[in-house]
Each structure stands twice: as structure tokens, then as C-alpha cells.
């Protein structure tokens, strides 16, 4: 926490207001409502879930972004406000309106996010006082960000925060990112909830152009179980007031934002529900990036690959066969596979290997790198996922009841 | 077993020859090599996995089918003979050659299938005597079919057999189907291994035209975990010697074969690894069949849906959100969802329901029907899948080691 270099001009709050219907399940006082405020109107842009069933707050953000004068984001955890019809939209607007009144800005300047159970109406009687309490407890320090980062979590076991400081066109720019993940992670545009606050000066339309690329290179490269959520949101703020970044400066800002998001994405995969192993899938040598990505995602989403890693079983046929149904044209002789340093499949031929040794290596390593090497071109992609454990099944067999 | 009406002119054998590397794991004497023989040369056709990584026996069958004078199929279980390079192809040819010698026919008249672990060479020193033993123990009765149906199983807990007798153009035609499934079931053209032997008279090219439709309406409508195997094979024989079926008669034969395969497909989903529930997903009211199929498959493959059913948790948001990322264009108000008789989501609005009652219903029912009703057209599809349990994770965390 002490190493964070926070972007200037932002304040944070995280409070408990009682959103979860069953307080016995978790710490009854856990933080469940977060607020981020930019002191100055900020350029803001976002990308959101491609799910046809998308949450009410996502629809509100989509209407309001990109924005030239955003002031804040109010986020509740424990209820997704998805599949909640017209009442859900009214509730999401009320959340923004309530924060705007306390902060003295227009409701359109406030963005709204939610995460949690789908299909339940928000407990507005708890949320409205919660927003008022958050507005009166804002802080600009690391402790305040820490509270906000905790307040957005659901089944995550730890917060995900990433900060960067970069020199752009002679000016120091700082970025503060935080996110939550845990499950229903199969991003398609962005993952569950992620926020990057920066003090860069960027035009809103430039910011809007940058965000999809940032998401593509970070959150779209992780999967817990391939289930694209109704609430995926990535929102980036830039509240700098100086000369707007252009050209190389803008490009470097995009790189810095991508690094922040990639770090958050990796942290989400590492803290996935019930996970024992963080699996890194490197695919290289395909004709292009898209082919590498399709193969990486097929391997990442394979329940059979995930259970094998959980069991420390070097059952590499499952990895190769998942690559085979990814919809990419290749011959077996084009493919070699390494698990860590162990070469298991060499240009279409199985190689002799010591299964007990590979299994012991899997047991003793929390991080498992897989490398699928093709001989077709220079396409490459890195994807993060996790293993599938008893604990994942336990957590998800008993989530709402 | 006594109710089976077997197609005429076929003999069966199932023997133990010791294919599995670890006999302690399972019954050391379990049957692991099956043989089917048509007394007369038969028309034969098949469909096979679309996986780019496909097993050696699949390649052999693809070369040999459709055939006008097929004589038999030799099948081994416990080893997939996939990812085994040139040696794998030689071994698959040797299996066919060995059976052909014993039966007195040409090797090209024999088809070959394998199922089991990927990436290991076949133990030919066990398989060759096994084929000889199978050739000398062929029988035409239900007990012989029962042995063959057992010999193709891997982690299946029971055999899958379906028979039909239909009157086509004044002649009784009989069909005998058997299959195996259990896991790595996400068919794309056909599932793991399935065989339909019939005494119909059908031209090979007509048979070849029929088979893809039969697979589409049966095996392509099930999923255990969506992982398309390297060995998926459906092979249909027609050994009738009379006037070949055409027109309406051929159409009725296709219907009968589809019924046999649909019954086998449903049995595979019901006997999936570790499954507690058979889930039937009915999607209706989409613009066309393909849209219904995409939605049904997205729901069937969702690990979150499967774990919720295992936990008897009526967490319907997971079902609706899986439909939402299936790549089909719809609005939430177009969709209603029923779990059994319980209406949980009504044209985009959540409905009040007694979660404890639905949960109790889930706990007490092995079969769970889900119905997703759209208001977009007359497309429909039925898909079968199963829940995801601790037992599935246990079985798959420790398969090869």
C-alpha cells in the first residue's frame, strides 16, 4: 500500500451499507459501496460487456461515455443490478443522482457500476444512505483507495491495485488502477469491473479510441470459466488540465494504461475463485494474433485442461486437443508443446518424459507456464487462466441459496 | 437386454486384452477390445471429429468411407491412438489388417476406432492377440452385443444400446446402435464413438448423405464440458441385399437412425462423468435453428450453470447471461425462462419465486428441464448436458497419473 503513487486530483471512499441479502455469509460489516471522485471535470471513456444481457449500470455508462467532464463513479458490490428491467435502470440513475446531489454536480457527470448476484432489485433503502456516507468520507490517500478497492470485491480474496508514474512530453503523469474479478470471467471487451484514474490531459475522443486497445491487451486475455458477465466494465479517467497529449505522448499513455490493466488482469486470474494455479498460456508462431488468441482461449476455457492442472496431471493431450478445436487450420506437425521447461509434444510427435517428475513440478509450482509453438507465422498471444478445483465447484454450487 | 431386436447379419465380440497401462485402476479383466462383423459386405458411411488434431483411426476411417463393401469395425478402449504420429497410423492399419486376415477379407473392408488416453502408442503386443481372440468368439445374440458394448467403454458407468425395428416399403428393417461417452464430449459432427448397424438396403452414397443429418440431430446436441474430442466417430452400416431404399423409404430410414442416435446421445449425457443431473435445454422462438442451437450450447457449456444445478441453486441469472453471450442478437424483453414448471424470468423481468421450493425440486429431480422462450420466430433446438460435480473434478484431476 505504501508504494502506491496515486494520480493527483482524485478522492476515494469505501463504506458498508448492507447490500448483501445474507449478512451471515460474509463479514457482516464488509465494505460494499465505493466512490471515486475527480476534483476537476475529467475526460472519461470505457468499454463494456458484449453480453446481450447487460446490467442497468452498464447501459447508463454506455449512454454517458465518452464524457468531457466526468466527476465520479459510484460502485456497489453484492448485487449486479442485471436482469432487473425498468426498475433496475431507474435505480442505477438514482445512484448517480444521489451522488451528484452530495457532490454538487450534474447526475450525467457520475458513472455507475454494480457487481454481484443477477436478477435482484437493488436495496435502495440501504444504498442511498450509503452514498451519502461515502460522499462525506472521501480521502485522497492510499488508505482511502484501499477502502474503495475493498468495497468493490465480491468473492475475491484480495484487492487488485496497480499504479504507474510515467514522464510524457516532459510532464509526470500518474495512473491509479483498481479492479475486481473472481468469477464469471470470460471477458469480451473488458472484465468485471476495472477503473484507471489518471492525471494525464487527454481529449475525450482520444481516450475513447485508446480504451478498446487497452482492454484487448489486458482483460480480454484472461478467463476463469469463459462465462462473459453482464457487468464487465473498464472505465478510464484523465483529469489533467494542461495541453492535451497527442502523437507519441498519447501512444505512451496508452502503453502505461495497458501495463496497469495487464497487471490488474493477471491479478484477477491469480485470485480466481478457488484457484490453486495461475496458468499462463503463450501461443506463438500462428499466422496472426487472432489465431493465437483463439487457440489460447480454447485451451484456457477447457475444463479438462483446468482439472488436469489442479490434479498435477501432465495430461498434455487435453491441451493439444483443445488447440485442435479452436477453429484454426493447422496440421499436427506444425505444433510443439512445452509445460514449463518440459517438452511434451514435438512437431506432432509425443516425446518420452518422466510423468512423475512433471507432476511433482506441477504440485510445487503455483504458476504454470504453457507454451504452444506453431510454425506458421509470427502471430502470438499470452492468456491467463487458472485451474478448476473442488473449491470452485463448492463456491459456485451454493452462491445464491 | 432381452428386449433388443437386433439387425440381421451382424456378429459381435468383446474381449479383454490388456490395453490400459495401469490395470489396478479399474477391473484388471475388463473388456477393452470390441469387434463388429457384417456377414455380407455392407454399405457404410460415417462422420468424424472436426478437431484439427484427430486420431489415427479417424484418419483411416475417413479414407475408407463411404464404402460399398465394409465388413467390420475393430475398436479398442483405454488408448485413443491420437497424437501418435506416423507410428499411430501404422498401428491403426495393423489393427484392421489383423482382423481382415482372421475374417478372410481385405484390410480396406475393416474400419478402426480407438478411445482413451491421448498421446500414447498402442500396445500392439496385447492388441494383436486380442483381435484374434475376438474373431474366434463372435456371436450374433444379445449377449455378444452386450460384451461388445461393454468393451468400448472408458469411464462410462453403463452401456448405451438402442435398437429399432421399422417397416420400410413393406420390408422390416432393424437397426442396432451402441455408443460410449462419459467425457471430452462437445461433439462437432459426432460424438466419441457410436455405431449403428442396420439390415436396410441403402446405396453407399445415399448413406453418406444421411449420416451428417443424423449426427446433427443427435450427438451434436449434447455436451459434457464442450471439449471436442480427437476421436469422435459415428459409423452407420446397411447390409441389406434387397432393392435399395429411395425417396420416402430412405427418409424413414434416416428418421429411424436419428431416433436410435438421439437415444444413445441422451444416454451419454445422462451417464456423463460424475453427473448427478441430466439437464435438458429447450430453446424456442429464435429466428432459426442455428440461433437456438448457439444459445443452447452456450448454456450447456457454462460451468457456472452446471455448478448451480449441482448445488440445487436456482441461480437463473447464470442461464440468462450465458444466452446473452451466445452471439445471437436479442433484447432482454424477448426472453422468458422456465426451470421445470417454475417461471423465473418473464420477458425481461425477474419474477418473484420461492427459492427454497425450486431448490428442493432441483434436489429431488435427477432430470432438469430448462426452457428458454424467445419471441423472435419459430427456431428451436433441444440440447442435453449434465451438472458439474466434485466427482467430475476428481475423475479429471487424476486421469493419466
Amino acid at each position: 500500500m505504501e508504494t502506491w503513487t496515486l494520480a493527483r486530483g482524485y478522492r476515494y471512499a469505501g463504506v458498508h451499507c448492507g447490500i448483501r441479502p445474507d449478512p451471515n455469509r460474509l463479514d457482516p460489516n464488509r465494505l460494499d459501496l465505493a466512490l471515486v471522485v475527480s476534483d476537476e471535470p475529467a475526460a472519461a471513456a470505457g468499454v463494456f460487456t458484449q453480453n446481450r444481457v447487460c446490467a442497468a449500470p452498464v447501459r447508463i455508462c454506455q449512454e454517458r461515455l465518452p464524457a468531457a467532464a466526468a466527476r465520479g463513479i459510484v460502485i456497489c458490490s453484492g448485487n449486479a443490478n442485471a436482469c432487473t428491467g425498468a426498475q433496475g435502470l431507474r435505480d442505477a440513475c438514482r445512484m448517480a443522482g444521489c451522488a451528484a446531489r452530495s457532490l454538487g454536480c450534474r447526475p450525467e457527470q457520475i458513472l455507475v457500476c454494480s457487481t454481484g448476484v443477477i436478477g435482484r432489485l437493488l436495496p435502495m433503502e440501504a444504498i442511498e444512505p450509503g452514498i451519502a456516507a461515502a460522499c462525506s468520507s472521501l480521502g485522497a490517500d492510499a488508505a482511502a483507495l484501499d477502502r474503495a478497492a475493498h468495497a468493490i470485491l465480491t468473492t475475491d480474496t484480495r484487492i487488485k491495485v496497480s499504479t504507474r508514474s510515467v514522464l510524457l512530453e516532459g510532464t509526470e503523469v500518474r495512473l491509479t488502477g483498481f479492479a475486481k474479478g473472481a468469477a464469471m470471467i470470460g471477458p469480451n471487451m473488458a472484465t468485471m469491473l476495472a477503473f484507471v484514474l489518471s492525471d494525464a490531459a487527454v481529449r475525450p475522443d482520444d481516450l475513447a479510441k485508446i480504451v478498446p486497445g487497452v482492454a484487448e491487451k489486458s482483460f480480454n486475455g484472461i478467463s476463469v470459466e469463459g462465462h462473459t458477465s453482464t457487468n464487465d466494465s473498464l472505465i478510464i479517467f484523465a483529469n489533467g488540465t494542461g495541453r492535451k497529449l497527442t502523437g507519441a505522448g498519447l501512444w505512451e499513455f496508452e502503453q502505461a494504461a495497458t501495463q496497469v490493466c495487464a497487471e490488474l488482469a493477471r491479478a484477477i486470474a491469480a485470485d480466481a475463485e478457488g484457484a490453486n494455479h495461475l496458468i499462463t498460456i503463450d501461443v506463438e508462431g500462428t499466422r496472426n494474433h487472432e489465431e493465437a488468441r483463439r487457440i489460447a482461449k480454447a485451451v484456457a476455457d477447457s475444463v479438462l485442461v483446468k482439472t488436469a492442472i489442479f490434479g498435477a496431471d501432465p495430461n498434455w493431450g487435453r491441451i493439444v486437443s483443445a488447440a485442435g478445436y479452436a477453429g484454426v487450420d493447422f496440421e499436427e506437425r506444425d505444433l510443439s508443446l512445452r509445460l514449463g521447461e518440459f517438452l511434451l509434444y514435438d512437431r506432432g510427435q509425443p516425446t518420452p518424459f518422466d510423468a512423475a517428475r512433471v507432476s511433482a513440478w506441477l504440485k510445487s509450482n503455483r504458476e504454470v507456464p504453457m507454451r504452444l509453438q506453431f510454425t506458421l507465422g509470427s502471430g502470438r498471444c499470452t492468456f491467463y487462466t487458472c485451474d478448476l478445483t473442488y473449491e470452485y465447484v463448492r463456491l459456485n454450487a451454493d452462491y445464491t441459496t
Side-chain angles (χ1 to χ4, degrees), chain A residues 18-278:
Chain A
I19 289 169
R20 287 177 178 74
D22 176 9
N24 297 325
R25 232 185 121 81
L26 301 158
D27 171 10
N29 296 314
R30 74 181 274 164
L31 306 179
D32 55 11
L33 192 135
L35 180 66
V36 181
V37 173
S38 172
D39 295 332
E40 296 298 322
V47 285
F48 300 93
T49 183
Q50 293 295 295
N51 199 314
R52 293 296 308 171
V53 177
C54 84
V58 168
R59 295 190 192 276
I60 301 295
C61 287
Q62 283 171 326
E63 272 177 27
R64 296 182 180 178
L65 292 178
R71 285 295 311 283
I73 315 170
V74 55
I75 310 131
C76 70
S77 68
N79 184 319
N81 193 11
C83 299
T84 45
Q87 185 62 43
L89 282 171
R90 282 193 292 273
D91 290 343
C93 285
R94 263 173 79 190
M95 281 177 67
C98 186
R101 269 195 308 281
S102 289
L103 299 171
C105 67
R106 285 176 289 112
E108 296 75 37
Q109 292 179 282
I110 302 294
L111 302 162
V112 197
C113 295
S114 294
T115 174
V117 178
I118 296 172
R120 291 194 182 146
L121 294 176
L122 289 179
M124 292 306 292
E125 69 288 356
I127 288 176
E128 290 195 314
I131 294 173
C135 289
S136 61
S137 65
L138 288 161
D141 59 356
L145 170 61
D146 186 76
R147 282 195 298 275
H150 274 98
I152 67 171
L153 304 182
T154 52
T155 54
D156 308 65
T157 68
R158 50 186 179 270
I159 60 169
K160 285 97 188 164
V161 174
S162 171
T163 63
R164 279 285 184 293
S165 169
V166 286
L167 205 63
L168 300 184
E169 300 180 352
T171 305
E172 188 206 18
V173 160
R174 295 180 185 173
L175 301 96
T176 304
F178 67 110
K180 60 87 56 184
M184 205 175 267
I185 302 291
N188 187 2
M189 282 313 277
T191 193
M192 203 59 184
L193 297 182
F195 310 99
V196 178
L197 298 322
S198 81
D199 47 25
V202 185
R203 271 194 299 269
D205 55 339
D206 283 337
L207 200 57
K209 275 181 216 150
I210 283 174
V211 184
V214 171
E216 181 61 29
K217 296 191 199 91
S218 56
F219 298 111
N220 286 359
I222 59 172
S223 171
V224 170
E225 75 295 87
H227 193 117
T228 302
S229 125
T230 48
N231 291 55
D232 287 351
S233 304
L234 164 65
I235 297 174
I236 302 185
F237 272 41
N239 71 356
T241 51
R243 194 167 56 84
K244 305 301 183 195
L245 292 171
T246 56
L250 191 63
W251 185 83
E252 284 172 45
F253 175 75
E254 182 178 346
Q255 300 312 304
T258 300
Q259 284 165 12
V260 166
C261 288
E263 198 168 304
L264 295 173
R266 197 170 176 285
I268 286 174
D271 188 33
E273 278 184 354
N276 286 355
H277 290 92
L278 170 65

Side-chain angles (χ1 to χ4, degrees), chain A residues 272-322:
Chain A
E273 278 184 354
N276 286 355
H277 290 92
L278 170 65
I279 304 170
T280 305
I281 303 163
D282 278 304
V283 178
E284 55 188 58
T286 52
R287 292 176 196 82
N288 51 51
H289 169 77
E290 178 55 27
E291 286 192 353
R293 190 182 142 71
R294 289 176 79 158
I295 288 169
K297 185 164 164 51
V299 174
D301 286 344
S302 166
V303 168
L304 286 168
V305 171
K306 290 149 127 38
T307 49
I309 299 300
F310 168 54
D313 181 356
N315 192 342
W316 60 268
R318 295 181 179 173
I319 302 169
V320 170
S321 60

